[in-house]
Amino acid sequence: MGNDMTEAEPTAKRRVTIREVAERAGVSMATVSRVLSGNHPVPASTRARVLRAARDLDYVANAHARALVGGGRKMVAVVLRQVTSPFYAQVAEGVEAEAAARGWLCLVGTTGGDPQRELEFVQLMREEGARLVILVGGVVEDDAYRERVAHYAHALDSAGARLVLCGRPAPDPDIPALVVEFDNEAGAHAITGHLLSAGHRGIVFLGGLPGNTALDARVAGYRTALAEHGLPPEAAHVIDCGLGRAAGHRAMTQLLKETPDFTAVFAGDDMVAAGALRAIADAGLRVPDDISVVGYNDIPLAEDFNPPLTTVRTPAEELGRAAVRIALRDPEHAAGAHHLLGTHIVVRDSVQPPPPGRPH
Amino acid sequence: MGNDMTEAEPTAKRRVTIREVAERAGVSMATVSRVLSGNHPVPASTRARVLRAARDLDYVANAHARALVGGGRKMVAVVLRQVTSPFYAQVAEGVEAEAAARGWLCLVGTTGGDPQRELEFVQLMREEGARLVILVGGVVEDDAYRERVAHYAHALDSAGARLVLCGRPAPDPDIPALVVEFDNEAGAHAITGHLLSAGHRGIVFLGGLPGNTALDARVAGYRTALAEHGLPPEAAHVIDCGLGRAAGHRAMTQLLKETPDFTAVFAGDDMVAAGALRAIADAGLRVPDDISVVGYNDIPLAEDFNPPLTTVRTPAEELGRAAVRIALRDPEHAAGAHHLLGTHIVVRDSVQPPPPGRPH
DNA sequence: ATGAAAGCGCTAACAA
DNA sequence: TTGTTAGCGCTTTCAT
């Protein structure tokens, strides 16, 4: 794997050390250290000489040596499936922004959804001494997951680091982890209600992912809304095609071919909605005239879809900011706490009452 | 900033050290080190005992201590304006993928376009001992920029690290940096030709950013294509509104109000196109019937725009992969080299011949 | 095959 | 005010 003969990896040359700066300035290493760290009384003249020497040599401290003796750099790590998902990217940006504002370094790692890579990354962060690890995104909550996260939590905790679960459940309330997420059930309930109010009764949920907590919650909200409007349980029609544009496109195409007894689609997220929209157009149908479609997340380009998508706004960047803000505040009280962020519907042009001719 | 009384930052507790593992296994630290690093002859029995002890204690090596003595972890850093830009996100994903495949750690940093933060980040990477630093995205190439990058290049080089410039120019061919970018001029030339072939003569370029090398190259390609079709220099109409959806929307709205003597728009990138598309629709005009629009980059959602956008495909992920691949191969020959990646047009539905009645 | 010991570059007592 | 010294946790000779 990428180890041809021609590969020549950069070999770290010897860097300028504090000793060389000290020699050039004619002082001891300790003095240089004091000048550089700033918080020690050093006469202006010495100070100037040292700074001068450091600049001349283009000295930068060795972060590893510094971390070894001092507390190490304040570092927060975000772990997500992929940065190319607009939603995850926004969460990461929120974390980054909040971290940067406090002078913390933010490291972004992606797993591609592979638990193994997630585990490796968390391990790595433990080695590097991250003080805060934020795991983002829904997951399939099985025993393996619960065990894995419980392990992360204890391992991180015993090293004095904190774990935040964003949009995924804590395996156990007693575990030293913090969860911050959106109220998926409420959001799904609201947007389903929106569809129902427009007169839709045949609403299919596209993009279920059984076991995935985020999606399950949305499905739950969808079912509840249906029930509250007096519809029987059979009225719920959930297609477990998973997330992503391609999945949405595929499932929608299939659905259109087989069971056209619906007038609206509730897509599991906006990317699924994008795929569904395309599939509907490909089938020669129009949104919202023939079929109404709603999404979830309100990604930045949702208003550029055709038609502009009515969806549930989940303030992703705020989720990221909240994760670090909460984790850094009142740690004792916060541990084990569960924070729910609110969402709201953004009405655009993809919903309309069902056409008269179509099944109820 | 963010230092309320209630803040309680995680304080790194003492972690399990190699010494404790050694004691528990009844061997010396050296033996533990040998077992853990794997590449030393150690009898299976001792090996098992050590591994057992390490597992029991949930030991993870201190990366800083290890980096201090050994070469340090193989780490590549990508610096970009923001992760929420689909294009940048894809580049980052490419870097991440290629790095991960080689067992390198990838660190993503964002600057928000602020040279100061960029500088700080590069400095930081130097401290952390990154072996490869990749700067992504076009910039305004002024003296300050040239000086800054020349400094990065030399500083990184003297520490044995490599610098890759993605989509931005090297200040000087002799500088120890590698540049990998798309042939912006060719791409712009091609897509302008596409518009010209459809019969358009009044084509405005929306999203210029004078001094920005990537945009300047696109503008150059646009002008060349115009000239080759026998149009006078005055036929070029460049609006320097910069990039981003909001800028595109604003500029397009303005343009529509003031000078409607054009039939096509060449947006500086797909986000600008998104804004322009919206502005055109808001003005009650249709694309491509009334006005044709093309973009640049072919971001993942470009085909979901209304109408699906004809644009220039720049394989962003490949750019990221290429950056690390090239940097790690034949460093000597590569230094100072300039790699150009090809692009191609993706034809969708946003271009049509100009309407008969409109001024060419 | 394994242990003892020397340091990697830096900071933080402790002296002077 | 400044220098000297002792490690931080780990890898790596050099002995054994």
Side-chain angles (χ1 to χ4, degrees), chain A residues 320-343:
Chain A
R321 303 192 89 110
V324 352
R325 212 183 306 120
I326 294 171
L328 262 29
R329 190 182 56 212
D330 301 320
E332 307 315 326
H333 300 191
H338 192 133
H339 294 253
L340 232 43
L341 267 51
T343 62

Side-chain angles (χ1 to χ4, degrees), chain A residues 1-2 6-15 58 60-68 71 73-74 82-84 89-90 92-93 96 100-102 104-108 110 117 121 123-124 126-129 131 151 155 157-162 245 271 274 278 299 301 303-306 308 328-331, chain B residues 1-2 6-15 58 60-68 71 73-74 82-84 89-90 92-93 96 100-102 104-108 110 117 121 123-124 126-129 131 151 155 157-162 245 271 274 278 299 301 303-306 308 328-331:
Chain A
M1 189 190 297
T6 60
E7 293 258 329
E9 295 175 348
T11 339
K13 290 182 201 165
R14 227 184 44 67
R15 290 159 41 171
D58 199 18
V60 285
N62 181 324
H64 298 299
R66 193 174 261 175
L68 197 54
R73 189 182 301 284
K74 289 165 180 174
Q82 51 180 9
V83 273
T84 45
Q90 282 185 282
E93 194 152 287
E96 217 277 338
R102 292 157 193 261
W104 285 49
L105 171 62
C106 175
L107 210 149
V108 179
T110 58
R117 281 181 66 192
F121 198 82
Q123 200 81 340
L124 183 65
R126 208 140 72 87
E127 293 184 23
E128 297 280 349
R131 307 268 252 289
H151 180 219
D157 184 65
S158 76
R162 310 231 253 256
R245 190 181 183 286
M271 297 302 284
R278 165 94 284 127
I299 60 173
L301 291 172
E303 68 171 310
D304 294 300
F305 287 2
N306 180 18
L328 262 29
R329 190 182 56 212
D330 301 320
Chain B
M1 190 187 296
T6 59
E7 294 258 331
E9 295 175 348
T11 340
K13 291 182 201 164
R14 225 184 44 66
R15 289 157 43 169
D58 199 19
V60 284
N62 181 323
H64 298 300
R66 191 173 262 174
L68 197 53
R73 188 180 302 283
K74 289 165 179 175
Q82 51 180 9
V83 273
T84 45
Q90 281 185 282
E93 195 153 285
E96 217 278 338
R102 292 157 194 260
W104 285 49
L105 171 63
C106 174
L107 211 149
V108 179
T110 57
R117 281 183 65 192
F121 198 82
Q123 199 81 340
L124 183 64
R126 207 140 71 88
E127 293 184 23
E128 297 281 348
R131 308 268 250 290
H151 180 218
D157 184 64
S158 75
R162 310 232 254 256
R245 190 181 182 287
M271 296 303 283
R278 165 94 283 126
I299 60 172
L301 291 172
E303 69 171 309
D304 294 300
F305 286 4
N306 180 16
L328 261 29
R329 190 181 57 212
D330 301 321

Side-chain angles (χ1 to χ4, degrees), chain B residues 79-80 87-88 135-139 145 165-169 212-214:
Chain B
V79 188
L80 21 85
F87 178 75
Y88 290 140
L135 265 31
V136 185
V139 284
Y145 166 79
L165 272 11
C166 260
R168 53 172 69 182
N212 180 298
T213 52

